[in-house]
């Protein structure tokens, strides 16, 4: 009879221990499931290009990525660029406006009486290869290319192309031919024969290339002189 009691007692003890172990394991597993994840994460930085509100500048701003939600982006002034180096340090660099420090030289167009500015080019200018400051035209089919005070080198080019240049350098000869200026040079080339009279006139320290229709050249002398004197 005593042996049966001991057996029952030991059986209850073993059952209690078994239940305790099962309960303990269940509690540990639940604790792992509901455990709050670590809030520590590595912070990284990246660069983002943002176009400014005036559409003229491309700004580089620094964006901090925490892995969950990016911080608010900072738009820098238009005249500054902020950039992030590999060592996660930032610095500001001033932007220099090169256009304001090196302005393009402007040419003042001086219209002769009864002329307008011509936007095209002329065959003789293409041949000489020297671009004028501007070209004027009138209603009579005459063209006036201004080279300003820089002058025009053309004699050698004309000769290399098989043409020749006749220059009037004395006042008496210029007046005798009813022309004007301090020096008048005629460019004679086969390509323009019987079509254009081309002359380079130096007057008042400035150089002009004139292209006049051959048929109206003689009758236009007084008119052409009136434009420059």
């Amino acid at each position: 009879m005593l042996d049966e009691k001991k057996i029952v007692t030991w059986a209850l003890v073993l059952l209690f221990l078994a239940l305790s172990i099962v309960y303990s394991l269940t509690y540990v597993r639940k604790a792992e499931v509901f455990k709050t994840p670590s809030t520590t994460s590595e912070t990284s930085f990246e660069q983002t290009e943002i176009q400014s509100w005036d559409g003229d500048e491309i700004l580089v701003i620094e964006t901090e990525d925490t892995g969950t939600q990016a911080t608010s982006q900072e738009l820098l002034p238009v005249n500054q660029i902020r950039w992030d180096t590999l060592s996660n340090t930032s610095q500001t660099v001033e932007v220099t406006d090169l256009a304001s420090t090196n302005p393009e030289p402007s040419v003042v167009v001086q219209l002769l009486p009864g002329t307008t500015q011509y936007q095209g080019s002329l065959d003789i200018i293409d041949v000489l290869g020297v671009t004028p400051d501007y070209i004027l035209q009138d209603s009579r089919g005459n063209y006036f290319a201004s080279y300003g005070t820089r002058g025009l080198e053309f004699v050698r080019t004309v000769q290399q192309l098989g043409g020749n240049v006749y220059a009037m350098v004395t006042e008496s000869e210029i007046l005798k031919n009813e022309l004007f200026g301090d020096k008048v040079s005629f460019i004679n080339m086969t390509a323009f024969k019987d079509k254009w009279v081309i002359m380079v006139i130096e007057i008042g320290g400035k150089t002009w290339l004139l292209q006049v229709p051959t048929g109206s050249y003689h009758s236009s002398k007084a008119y052409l002189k009136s434009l420059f004197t």
Side-chain angles (χ1 to χ4, degrees), residues 9-207:
T9 300
W10 280 109
L12 292 174
V13 171
L14 292 175
L15 179 60
F16 176 80
L17 291 175
L19 292 174
S20 298
I21 293 173
V22 172
Y23 178 82
S24 298
L25 292 176
T26 303
Y27 178 82
V28 171
R29 292 185 61 184
K30 288 183 178 181
E32 289 292 333
V33 172
F34 292 102
K35 183 179 180 181
T36 303
S38 175
T39 58
T40 59
S41 62
E42 182 180 358
T43 301
S44 61
F45 295 86
E46 62 180 9
Q47 293 179 345
T48 306
E49 291 187 358
I50 301 296
Q51 187 168 4
S52 65
W53 50 85
D54 62 0
D56 294 332
E57 300 285 349
I58 297 297
L59 304 181
V60 178
I61 65 172
E62 178 183 330
T63 302
E64 181 178 352
D65 185 6
T66 61
T68 55
Q69 183 177 3
T71 59
S72 61
Q73 297 177 341
E74 177 185 2
L75 186 61
L76 299 178
V78 176
N79 66 336
Q80 293 182 344
I81 291 180
R82 183 178 179 180
W83 52 280
D84 180 41
T85 64
L86 295 178
S87 59
N88 290 336
T89 59
S90 300
Q91 68 184 73
T92 300
V93 180
E94 293 291 333
V95 176
T96 303
D97 187 357
L98 297 179
S100 62
T101 57
N102 298 299
E104 291 292 332
S106 58
V107 176
V108 178
V109 177
Q110 296 180 342
L111 297 177
L112 298 174
T115 65
T116 58
Q117 188 171 2
Y118 177 66
Q119 300 297 337
S121 184
L122 303 176
D123 290 339
I124 182 59
I125 291 176
D126 295 336
V127 169
L128 299 179
V130 183
T131 304
D133 295 337
Y134 54 87
I135 304 175
L136 305 178
Q137 64 178 349
D138 63 9
S139 59
R140 302 187 183 190
N142 301 310
Y143 295 90
F144 313 86
S146 172
Y147 286 88
T149 58
R150 60 191 172 104
L152 174 62
E153 298 293 336
F154 60 92
V155 177
R156 184 176 181 181
T157 301
V158 172
Q159 291 175 344
Q160 289 176 340
L161 294 175
N164 62 77
V165 176
Y166 178 78
M168 297 181 183
V169 295
T170 64
E171 182 180 3
S172 60
E173 186 177 15
I174 292 173
L175 293 177
K176 182 180 179 180
N177 286 274
E178 301 178 351
L179 297 173
F180 56 95
D182 304 312
K183 181 179 179 180
V184 179
S185 300
F186 288 88
I187 296 177
N188 301 307
M189 300 184 70
T190 304
F192 305 108
K193 184 180 179 181
D194 300 328
K195 184 177 182 181
W196 299 106
V197 173
I198 300 173
M199 36 183 191
V200 177
I201 297 179
E202 299 177 17
I203 180 172
K206 296 182 180 181
T207 301

